[in-house]
Amino acid sequence: MVINVDIQFLGAAKMVTGSNYLITTDNHKILVDCGMFQGNEEKEKMNYMDFPYDVTDIDYLILTHAHIDHSGRIPKLVREGFRGKIVCTKPTADLCEIMLLDSAKIQESDAQWENKKRLRTGQDFVEPLYTIDDARESLKYFDPYFYDQKINLNEEISIRFKDAGHILGSAIVEMWAYEGGEVTKVVFSGDLGMPGRPIIKDLEFIDSADYLVIESTYGNTNHEPFKDSTEKLIEIINRTALRGGSVIIPSFAVGRTQELIYELNKYYEYTPDIEEYMRIPIYIDSPMAVNATEVFQKNSSSFNYEARELILKGDNPFAFSNLRYIRTQEESMSLNKSSYPKVIISSSGMATAGRVRHHLKHNLWNPDNSLVFVGYQAQGSLGRILLDGASKVKLLGEEIDVQLEIYDLEGFSGHADQKTLLKWIDRFKIKPKKIFVVHGEEDQSETLAHLIEDKFNIETIVPNMRDKFNISKDDIELKKGINIEPILLQQDIENELENVYRQFGALVGRSGMLYKDKIIEKNYDELKNKLIDLQHELMDLNILLSK
Ligand SMILES: [Zn+2]
């Protein structure tokens, strides 16, 4: 018997955006990610093209994480007839709610802007890629799970999420395809994070795979340690403040901004003897970042140990005395009226849109100011242009001199670097027989692919857009039936469940919550899933009671 699975690459092939892979088995079609193409006009046009498959045929969309280059075309997918389920982790579902609505708002206002221009020249109007209503409608299809829960999608496919350590909720997808008693395992790395980051847990290692699809955003780059970047950032802020300047930080509203807040909270609250005048105001100027911070707080049961401990101790890591959250446009505009030193953290992270462009317009010319990049800058984006040393840029209809100091703090990157990617592959106990290298500019992907071949002697493929591969018997012989995961016995799980119920029992009196009925599932997977659900609920309850 041969497992008949096709994988087709329909985005993030020799580029970093537009993630979208189609998995076809005998009876089912499944997507992994449905992201938006981003970076410049040419790429953005690709968002308007028809999906290269019949969307009504798709049973499931498996979503690795909430970033728009992985989730951004979901509202379009639903509007065009997708009626399956969008399976992802719970924090990803919560983050998508704000990210997709925000994305829709941008689509609507871009179309409005374009139509104003077209009205003057008598051209036909354009439609937005999708509307706020489309985005809201698409949220109904989300079906969230926790990490480690086994999800049986249908008789041919099961999946499980592992923590990718990239942003809150980000997942590696383990996918098992079954046919005639045979099983093939495909692993999708999603976006992998750097270990040792604030708030979220480290990326998890995977034991085995027959095939691997791996990202390569930094396949040709190594980052400096996160700690060095944090120290540099604080040094830049202090140095800029002392000469009377302000610091502008274009930052992704979801993830990076919360990490910055978390680190600044640690600095301002736990460093003794900071002079009062050095506590310059830190503004978070992005309504989405404000909303995202709320979603983070709601999902603290998924945080790493340090962050959970801070919260249980009673410190809110997203609040300190000189931190201000800005919501309205008026407040945002007024930030540039005063020349008092300050830090403005604003989106978008690549300065391609959003409020940060206003702040750049008002601050680029002043040599006392600093501009700090804390994330990936795609080719063609304003961020990349500034980083490459442009002396003048066109911004909101004006040509602006670039005089301020520009820094690139690579250590903040949310993506695993070359060393981390290779180590992650090395930790597979049973190595994949073939590795598809995706989600990177071509030179990054090619470099990583060559390194993998040299180091592990594994065949690699850097697919082109629309390339399709069949996993068939002609392939190198499949290693199957080796289960090397440490298996908890059903009895262990039942004991652990008893333990969790006991802890609930001790807390319900204080919380006023109803005691939960014990449900003992028969099926091993369901039992384990239930245990994971309850462990999260228990943590949430602990956090709630600690406040
Ligand atoms: Zn990402």
Side-chain angles (χ1 to χ4, degrees):
M1 221 25 204
V2 174
I3 303 273
N4 192 26
V5 183
D6 283 344
I7 303 180
Q8 193 177 13
F9 296 88
L10 298 162
K14 298 191 175 166
M15 61 172 89
V16 289
T17 63
S19 280
N20 189 218
Y21 315 125
L22 175 66
I23 318 299
T24 311
T25 58
D26 279 345
N27 301 307
H28 298 280
K29 282 194 166 76
I30 286 171
L31 292 175
V32 175
D33 289 342
C34 189
M36 199 178 268
F37 294 99
Q38 294 174 302
N40 55 35
E41 243 175 71
E42 185 197 341
K43 288 207 179 103
E44 279 161 21
K45 271 191 195 138
M46 294 165 69
N47 295 316
Y48 290 85
M49 292 179 187
D50 288 337
F51 288 108
Y53 38 80
D54 183 348
V55 301
T56 62
D57 280 352
I58 310 289
D59 305 312
Y60 288 95
L61 162 61
I62 298 159
L63 182 60
T64 60
H65 64 292
H67 278 151
I68 286 298
D69 62 320
H70 293 257
S71 69
R73 280 185 293 161
I74 288 175
K76 175 179 151 99
L77 193 76
V78 171
R79 195 187 58 196
E80 294 184 4
F82 170 82
R83 293 295 175 265
K85 279 183 179 164
I86 302 167
V87 181
C88 61
T89 65
K90 182 182 164 287
T92 294
D94 289 347
L95 287 174
C96 275
E97 186 172 341
I98 53 174
M99 296 188 73
L100 294 180
L101 289 174
D102 181 80
S103 172
K105 222 190 295 170
I106 294 170
Q107 301 307 323
E108 285 193 7
S109 75
D110 281 358
Q112 228 172 27
W113 182 258
E114 176 69 24
N115 286 339
K116 248 191 226 165
K117 260 190 350 204
R118 288 178 172 234
L119 185 64
R120 290 195 292 268
T121 51
Q123 298 176 72
D124 288 343
F125 282 179
V126 294
E127 291 282 324
L129 184 62
Y130 48 81
T131 63
I132 293 172
D133 286 342
D134 293 330
R136 202 165 280 132
E137 179 64 23
S138 72
L139 298 174
K140 293 180 187 161
Y141 295 87
F142 277 76
D143 187 13
Y145 289 83
F146 288 110
Y147 296 113
D148 286 322
Q149 293 184 319
K150 191 84 175 267
I151 310 157
N152 299 314
L153 300 183
N154 52 49
E155 75 290 355
E156 290 176 332
I157 294 195
S158 298
I159 63 160
R160 182 168 63 182
F161 294 123
K162 288 284 184 181
D163 205 320
H166 167 66
I167 61 161
L168 188 70
S170 63
I172 299 158
V173 180
E174 294 177 289
M175 179 186 285
W176 292 268
Y178 305 95
E179 202 178 299
E182 304 276 329
V183 54
T184 296
K185 183 176 174 190
V186 186
V187 169
F188 295 86
S189 73
D191 287 2
L192 296 171
M194 287 294 284
R197 304 301 301 257
I199 311 171
I200 56 173
K201 291 182 185 160
D202 282 359
L203 81 169
E204 290 185 89
F205 297 108
I206 307 295
D207 278 342
S208 70
D210 293 306
Y211 297 89
L212 169 64
V213 179
I214 191 170
E215 70 123 322
S216 59
T217 317
Y218 287 109
N220 193 17
T221 315
N222 282 309
H223 303 318
E224 67 175 28
F226 180 81
K227 197 173 145 276
D228 296 355
S229 285
T230 309
E231 280 166 9
K232 273 189 200 157
L233 175 66
I234 286 161
E235 202 186 293
I236 294 166
I237 291 173
N238 288 341
R239 199 166 357 113
T240 308
L242 282 173
R243 65 171 185 250
S246 290
V247 180
I248 310 296
I249 308 177
S251 172
F252 300 95
V254 176
R256 188 59 30 79
T257 296
Q258 288 72 32
E259 289 182 353
L260 292 172
I261 297 169
Y262 183 94
E263 287 301 308
L264 291 171
N265 173 73
K266 276 208 302 199
Y267 172 68
Y268 288 112
E269 291 208 334
Y270 297 95
T271 313
D273 307 330
I274 300 179
E275 298 285 354
E276 209 37 51
Y277 67 89
M278 290 304 283
R279 291 180 190 274
I280 61 170
I282 312 283
Y283 295 104
I284 307 301
D285 183 22
S286 154
M288 185 159 59
V290 180
N291 293 335
T293 306
E294 284 167 9
V295 170
F296 265 67
Q297 285 170 305
K298 230 170 71 183
N299 283 284
S300 19
S301 72
S302 298
F303 288 1
N304 64 24
Y305 180 77
E306 183 195 77
R308 285 203 313 260
E309 285 299 297
L310 274 185
I311 295 169
L312 289 172
K313 243 171 45 190
D315 178 13
N316 177 350
F318 304 107
F320 49 92
S321 63
N322 48 327
L323 179 73
R324 307 265 181 285
Y325 289 95
I326 303 287
R327 274 191 189 271
T328 68
Q329 190 85 47
E330 295 74 56
E331 284 176 288
S332 171
M333 306 282 260
S334 70
L335 292 183
N336 291 310
K337 285 186 188 141
S338 128
S339 57
Y340 188 80
K342 58 188 148 312
V343 175
I344 302 176
I345 301 173
S346 184
S347 60
S348 71
M350 294 192 268
T352 46
R355 290 181 180 178
V356 77
R357 289 171 77 88
H358 286 273
H359 299 307
L360 289 176
K361 181 179 149 181
H362 287 280
N363 289 283
L364 285 177
W365 63 272
N366 185 343
D368 287 340
N369 294 337
S370 299
L371 170 62
V372 184
F373 289 103
V374 291
Y376 183 78
Q377 305 300 314
Q379 271 170 24
S381 65
L382 177 61
R384 177 65 77 94
I385 291 166
L386 285 164
L387 211 48
D388 286 346
S391 59
K392 282 179 196 305
V393 289
K394 193 116 190 265
L395 200 47
L396 304 168
E398 275 179 51
E399 198 168 66
I400 314 282
D401 265 355
V402 182
Q403 301 267 7
L404 81 183
E405 291 181 1
I406 299 180
Y407 300 90
D408 184 15
L409 297 184
E410 283 278 316
F412 282 114
S413 170
H415 283 276
D417 60 3
Q418 184 186 76
K419 238 193 276 172
T420 308
L421 291 169
L422 290 171
K423 183 177 167 203
W424 189 72
I425 295 172
D426 195 33
R427 290 289 293 267
F428 277 83
K429 293 184 188 129
I430 294 176
K431 299 273 185 299
K433 285 174 289 293
K434 203 180 260 186
I435 298 184
F436 298 97
V437 182
V438 297
H439 199 287
E441 310 281 2
E442 196 169 348
D443 60 321
Q444 305 278 344
S445 299
E446 293 288 356
T447 306
L448 185 69
H450 287 137
L451 277 172
I452 292 171
E453 294 194 345
D454 286 353
K455 204 168 149 60
F456 304 110
N457 198 19
I458 297 174
E459 186 191 344
T460 59
I461 294 170
V462 181
N464 290 302
M465 274 291 265
R466 300 214 172 203
D467 278 358
K468 187 173 173 178
F469 298 87
N470 182 259
I471 295 174
S472 74
K473 67 174 173 196
D474 300 331
D475 252 310
I476 315 157
E477 197 191 334
L478 304 181
K479 281 188 202 123
K480 284 187 200 112
I482 307 170
N483 201 338
I484 49 170
E485 288 166 39
I487 286 275
L488 277 177
L489 296 175
Q490 179 136 349
Q491 188 57 50
D492 297 334
I493 296 177
E494 283 175 18
N495 289 345
E496 191 50 36
L497 267 171
E498 280 299 323
N499 181 20
V500 169
Y501 280 123
R502 252 198 312 279
Q503 293 181 53
F504 264 112
L507 290 176
V508 280
R510 286 166 59 203
S511 68
M513 267 180 56
L514 289 175
Y515 189 68
K516 292 178 177 302
D517 284 339
K518 288 187 193 181
I519 307 162
I520 296 296
E521 312 280 349
K522 293 261 168 356
N523 175 303
Y524 177 88
D525 286 338
E526 283 170 30
L527 199 63
K528 192 170 171 207
N529 288 356
K530 186 79 200 164
L531 174 63
I532 293 167
D533 278 339
L534 288 174
Q535 284 169 333
H536 277 270
E537 278 183 49
L538 189 63
M539 186 65 202
D540 284 342
L541 191 58
N542 270 306
I543 286 168
L544 194 78
L545 289 172
S546 77
K547 278 179 188 162

mmCIF file of all heavy atoms in Angstrom, residues 55 83 272 335 377 398 507 526 532:
data_model
loop_
_atom_site.group_PDB
_atom_site.id
_atom_site.type_symbol
_atom_site.label_atom_id
_atom_site.label_comp_id
_atom_site.label_asym_id
_atom_site.label_seq_id
_atom_site.Cartn_x
_atom_site.Cartn_y
_atom_site.Cartn_z
ATOM 1 N N VAL A 55 -12.086 26.561 -3.420
ATOM 2 C CA VAL A 55 -12.078 26.721 -1.962
ATOM 3 C C VAL A 55 -13.188 25.905 -1.293
ATOM 4 O O VAL A 55 -13.079 25.541 -0.124
ATOM 5 C CB VAL A 55 -12.175 28.200 -1.517
ATOM 6 C CG1 VAL A 55 -11.037 29.010 -2.076
ATOM 7 C CG2 VAL A 55 -13.501 28.804 -1.908
ATOM 8 N N ARG A 83 -16.070 26.486 3.814
ATOM 9 C CA ARG A 83 -16.991 26.217 4.927
ATOM 10 C C ARG A 83 -16.434 25.151 5.864
ATOM 11 O O ARG A 83 -17.168 24.524 6.621
ATOM 12 C CB ARG A 83 -18.369 25.784 4.391
ATOM 13 C CG ARG A 83 -19.118 26.881 3.643
ATOM 14 C CD ARG A 83 -19.479 28.052 4.566
ATOM 15 N NE ARG A 83 -20.095 29.138 3.823
ATOM 16 C CZ ARG A 83 -19.432 30.198 3.346
ATOM 17 N NH1 ARG A 83 -18.126 30.301 3.505
ATOM 18 N NH2 ARG A 83 -20.070 31.150 2.695
ATOM 19 N N PRO A 272 17.504 49.430 40.342
ATOM 20 C CA PRO A 272 17.495 50.417 41.416
ATOM 21 C C PRO A 272 18.079 51.746 40.930
ATOM 22 O O PRO A 272 18.914 51.772 40.018
ATOM 23 C CB PRO A 272 18.386 49.784 42.486
ATOM 24 C CG PRO A 272 19.178 48.731 41.789
ATOM 25 C CD PRO A 272 18.502 48.372 40.517
ATOM 26 N N LEU A 335 1.436 63.558 19.875
ATOM 27 C CA LEU A 335 2.756 63.122 20.329
ATOM 28 C C LEU A 335 3.880 63.905 19.652
ATOM 29 O O LEU A 335 4.935 64.117 20.232
ATOM 30 C CB LEU A 335 2.959 61.624 20.046
ATOM 31 C CG LEU A 335 2.104 60.632 20.836
ATOM 32 C CD1 LEU A 335 2.483 59.205 20.473
ATOM 33 C CD2 LEU A 335 2.281 60.847 22.330
ATOM 34 N N GLN A 377 12.863 43.173 8.047
ATOM 35 C CA GLN A 377 12.478 44.198 7.061
ATOM 36 C C GLN A 377 12.537 43.576 5.668
ATOM 37 O O GLN A 377 13.614 43.305 5.146
ATOM 38 C CB GLN A 377 13.421 45.410 7.148
ATOM 39 C CG GLN A 377 13.521 46.029 8.543
ATOM 40 C CD GLN A 377 12.191 46.523 9.071
ATOM 41 O OE1 GLN A 377 11.426 47.194 8.362
ATOM 42 N NE2 GLN A 377 11.880 46.179 10.308
ATOM 43 N N GLU A 398 5.471 63.684 0.880
ATOM 44 C CA GLU A 398 6.572 64.646 1.043
ATOM 45 C C GLU A 398 7.909 63.935 0.947
ATOM 46 O O GLU A 398 8.023 62.773 1.316
ATOM 47 C CB GLU A 398 6.490 65.313 2.419
ATOM 48 C CG GLU A 398 5.573 66.512 2.475
ATOM 49 C CD GLU A 398 5.542 67.099 3.881
ATOM 50 O OE1 GLU A 398 6.625 67.344 4.445
ATOM 51 O OE2 GLU A 398 4.430 67.273 4.406
ATOM 52 N N LEU A 507 -9.707 24.920 45.004
ATOM 53 C CA LEU A 507 -9.843 26.321 44.593
ATOM 54 C C LEU A 507 -11.283 26.777 44.456
ATOM 55 O O LEU A 507 -11.574 27.963 44.570
ATOM 56 C CB LEU A 507 -9.139 26.534 43.238
ATOM 57 C CG LEU A 507 -7.608 26.472 43.241
ATOM 58 C CD1 LEU A 507 -7.092 26.606 41.819
ATOM 59 C CD2 LEU A 507 -7.008 27.566 44.110
ATOM 60 N N GLU A 526 -8.528 11.291 23.612
ATOM 61 C CA GLU A 526 -9.521 12.197 24.195
ATOM 62 C C GLU A 526 -9.234 12.452 25.670
ATOM 63 O O GLU A 526 -9.400 13.557 26.170
ATOM 64 C CB GLU A 526 -10.936 11.633 24.029
ATOM 65 C CG GLU A 526 -11.476 11.809 22.621
ATOM 66 C CD GLU A 526 -12.760 11.039 22.386
ATOM 67 O OE1 GLU A 526 -13.521 10.846 23.363
ATOM 68 O OE2 GLU A 526 -12.992 10.622 21.239
ATOM 69 N N ILE A 532 -5.198 18.113 29.220
ATOM 70 C CA ILE A 532 -4.546 19.367 28.818
ATOM 71 C C ILE A 532 -5.510 20.541 28.968
ATOM 72 O O ILE A 532 -5.146 21.607 29.480
ATOM 73 C CB ILE A 532 -4.002 19.237 27.376
ATOM 74 C CG1 ILE A 532 -2.856 18.211 27.359
ATOM 75 C CG2 ILE A 532 -3.530 20.589 26.850
ATOM 76 C CD1 ILE A 532 -2.435 17.756 25.978
#
